[in-house]
């Protein structure tokens, strides 16, 4: 392989989005090396969701959803297995306190031009009759969508504006502009962009990334059981716990008619085995919201790992101690959602183009003390 303008290490959704971009230089090529198969892209739900826990998260997810809405129909036309669908999200309020939270969330989203709708209990029951009676209502965010992430990443690599040289290889180490593969060969580029999820710490010591293990279950085909992504409003609190194990109700209707059930979070384990106790807690939580799930057949369960940072924001930008290394890591459960805006921000930083977002909240400089020079 001749030298590439950018070598992207990691061919999951984040790496694929970074490689896909129409880079603002005249003759840009990207080499994409996947360190290992079966990362977060393959394990996750593929929920494309605007998240608003803080301004930086909202900016990154909102900009990304705009790009997903443009990509989605094209993906389905070229590769139907991408299964992009604009199902929307219902943030479920179980009680009056959570309904007040839904109202506050609606006000914040509307202030940023994001269309949403508050639903009272009768409206929610009419829209999703499988939900248990007694819920207070919900916030509907119509622009949220779903995608089958492994196929979407494949589409991004195959439909870039300029050719991408893709290699399925294991990266042993990064040395300046050089990427050393496990077979002893070397690839060299103008810059190296690390987008390898939880495995990034093996190649860039000092990255403050912890694995968050999650469980998922999927049912047989039951078309029409639910029509929207259903998420309890308590999910946000559970998602950002920094210790312990938590579960939250998160149910996704797949275009296949299957139902994808989440979610759970466990810290500081890289054991991929199913934890039956955690899985049982997660399923009981789902049954509390959709009791009819007890009558359906689950056909598969699995686990995956999110890459979490101490402050809950991704690390995007130039490594503070290595002039040729750029980072796109630590997106936790929002890697699929925020891949487009992350890629756009990095492309602008690397090439000196106009920045689409303020890079400061995601800068690696905030962890410069822990990153090894």
């Amino acid at each position: 392989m001749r030298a590439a303008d950018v070598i992207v290490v990691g061919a999951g959704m984040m790496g694929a989005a970074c490689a896909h971009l129409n880079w603002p230089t005249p003759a840009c090529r990207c080499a994409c090396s996947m360190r290992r198969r079966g990362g977060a892209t393959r394990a996750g739900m593929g929920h494309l969701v605007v998240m608003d826990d803080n301004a930086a998260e909202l900016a990154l997810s909102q900009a990304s959803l705009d790009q997903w809405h443009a990509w989605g129909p094209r993906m389905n036309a070229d590769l139907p297995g991408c299964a992009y669908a604009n199902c929307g999200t219902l943030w479920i309020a179980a009680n009056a306190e959570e309904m007040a939270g839904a109202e506050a969330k609606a006000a914040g989203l509307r202030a940023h031009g994001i269309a949403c709708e508050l639903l009272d209990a009768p409206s929610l029951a009419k829209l999703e009759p499988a939900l248990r009676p007694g819920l207070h209502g919900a916030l509907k965010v119509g622009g949220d969508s779903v995608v089958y992430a492994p196929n979407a990443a494949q589409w991004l690599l195959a439909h870039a504006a300029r050719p991408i040289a893709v290699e399925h290889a294991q990266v042993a180490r990064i040395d300046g502009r050089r990427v050393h593969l496990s077979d002893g060969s070397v690839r060299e580029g103008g810059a190296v962009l690390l987008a390898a999820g939880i495995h990034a710490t093996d190649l860039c010591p000092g990255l403050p990334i912890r694995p968050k293990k999650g469980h998922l279950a999927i049912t047989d085909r039951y078309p029409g059981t639910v029509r929207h992504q259903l998420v309890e409003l308590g999910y946000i609190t559970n998602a950002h716990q920094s210790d312990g194990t938590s579960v939250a109700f998160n149910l996704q209707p797949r275009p296949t008619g299957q139902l994808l059930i989440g979610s759970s979070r466990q810290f500081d384990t890289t054991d991929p085995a199913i934890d039956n106790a955690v899985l049982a807690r997660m399923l009981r939580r789902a049954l509390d919201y959709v009791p009819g799930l007890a009558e359906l057949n689950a056909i598969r369960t699995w686990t995956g790992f999110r890459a979490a940072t101490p402050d809950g924001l991704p690390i995007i930008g130039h490594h503070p101690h290595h002039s040729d290394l750029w980072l796109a890591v630590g997106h936790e459960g929002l890697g699929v959602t925020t891949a487009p805006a992350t890629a756009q921000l990095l492309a602008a930083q690397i090439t000196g183009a106009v920045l689409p977002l303020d890079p400061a909240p995601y800068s690696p400089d905030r962890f410069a003390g822990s990153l090894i020079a």
Side-chain angles (χ1 to χ4, degrees), residues 282-305:
M282 186 185 82
L283 294 177
R284 283 196 298 268
R285 190 68 176 170
L287 289 171
D288 185 50
Y289 282 85
V290 182
L293 289 173
E295 306 302 318
L296 309 185
N297 292 325
I299 61 172
R300 188 165 74 93
T301 60
W302 68 97
T303 66
F305 297 91

Side-chain angles (χ1 to χ4, degrees), residues 9-10 35 194-200 203 328-329:
V9 179
R35 188 175 187 277
L194 180 59
I198 62 168
H199 304 302
L203 300 171
V329 296

Side-chain angles (χ1 to χ4, degrees), residues 208-264:
I209 290 176
R210 297 168 67 192
K212 268 190 182 179
K213 181 178 178 178
H215 289 70
L216 287 170
I218 196 165
T219 71
D220 207 340
R221 297 170 188 251
Y222 302 98
T225 303
V226 300
R227 294 181 293 168
H228 302 80
Q229 180 104 14
L230 305 178
V231 189
E232 65 168 295
L233 274 161
Y235 173 92
I236 298 171
T237 300
N238 290 327
H240 290 284
Q241 288 184 194
S242 58
D243 287 293
T245 298
S246 64
V247 300
F249 170 61
N250 192 339
L251 180 66
Q252 180 183 107
R254 297 300 305 159
T256 58
Q258 296 171 283
L259 299 174
L260 186 55
I261 304 168
S263 66
S264 70

